Amino acid sequence: MAKTKTLTFLFILFTIFSISTLTTTATKHHRFARALSPAKLGIKAEKLSHLHFYFHDTISGKNVTAVRVAEAPGTKTSPTIFGAVNVIDDPLTVNPELSSERVGSAQGIFAAASQSEFAFATTVNFVFTSGQFNGSTLSVLGRNSVFSNIRELPIVGGTGVFRFARGYAQAHTYSRTNNGNAVVEYNVYVYHF
């Protein structure tokens, strides 16, 4: 009987010690979030940059850069192509001519998300491949009402030079052909470190 009481006492003591140790370890070493010093991450003063480029969206003809990957049962009869989902890999250039200097690509998804107007839920990464932003990206997530003169889309993040980026992009259709191909002028205003 004394042996059973001793074993029970030791088991209880071991359990209390284990819980105490786990709780102390978890609070000291495994926190969910903690404050960081921006300097330790190499973050310096915030900058505001203005980028200006042209986006070439080719949906028909040679060298198509935007393709439909899905559609709803009623997409073909919808006046706004509601339910269409397109994937893009569009060139970004310095000037409106496709032959001008290429600075990157716009890669992402456009989904026709309105039943009353041509408006897309847009998820796009601007992937820069030359100049001071080579290897960096900006992420855009927002609503693109295609036939509005100026559309404003939020910049929600980025990589490389654009880590912690925030800002907005203004899109303006520079030209559109009868078969739907378009050149879109972008002015991007972005805060970054």
Side-chain angles (χ1 to χ4, degrees):
M1 177 101 144
K3 194 175 187 181
T4 305
K5 284 185 179 182
T6 303
L7 285 174
T8 304
F9 174 74
L10 287 174
F11 177 74
I12 291 171
L13 190 61
F14 175 76
T15 304
I16 291 169
F17 177 75
S18 295
I19 291 172
S20 172
T21 302
L22 288 172
T23 305
T24 303
T25 303
T27 57
K28 285 185 181 176
H29 304 291
H30 301 295
R31 291 181 292 177
F32 173 70
R34 63 189 169 117
L36 292 175
S37 164
K40 285 186 178 180
L41 292 175
I43 296 174
K44 298 178 180 150
E46 190 173 41
K47 300 177 223 172
L48 175 63
S49 293
H50 172 229
L51 288 76
H52 179 256
F53 52 82
Y54 293 85
F55 170 113
H56 300 266
D57 195 45
T58 306
I59 63 171
S60 63
K62 285 179 129 181
N63 303 317
V64 171
T65 62
V67 294
R68 183 166 300 169
V69 294
E71 60 185 36
T75 297
K76 285 186 172 45
T77 59
S78 168
T80 64
I81 64 169
F82 178 69
V85 179
N86 296 304
V87 175
I88 65 162
D89 186 6
D90 292 343
L92 303 177
T93 62
V94 172
N95 293 313
E97 298 78 26
L98 184 56
S99 60
S100 68
E101 179 188 352
R102 186 166 176 171
V103 295
S105 297
Q107 298 172 340
I109 299 169
F110 281 73
S114 175
Q115 295 183 62
S116 60
E117 65 176 301
F118 273 100
F120 293 99
T122 303
T123 304
V124 172
N125 291 305
F126 294 138
V127 181
F128 299 102
T129 56
S130 69
Q132 71 185 74
F133 302 125
N134 183 22
S136 299
T137 66
L138 283 172
S139 297
V140 178
L141 176 66
R143 183 176 193 272
N144 187 349
S145 182
V146 200
F147 292 125
S148 295
N149 185 34
I150 304 284
R151 287 93 65 196
E152 193 170 287
L153 301 151
I155 302 292
V156 297
T159 63
V161 173
F162 296 119
R163 286 185 195 124
F164 298 107
R166 60 187 167 73
Y168 68 97
Q170 288 183 327
H172 165 72
T173 303
Y174 179 83
S175 65
R176 183 185 327 270
T177 63
N178 290 337
N179 57 5
N181 297 338
V183 176
V184 180
E185 179 180 21
Y186 271 87
N187 281 290
V188 178
Y189 303 91
V190 61
Y191 282 102
H192 61 98
F193 294 97

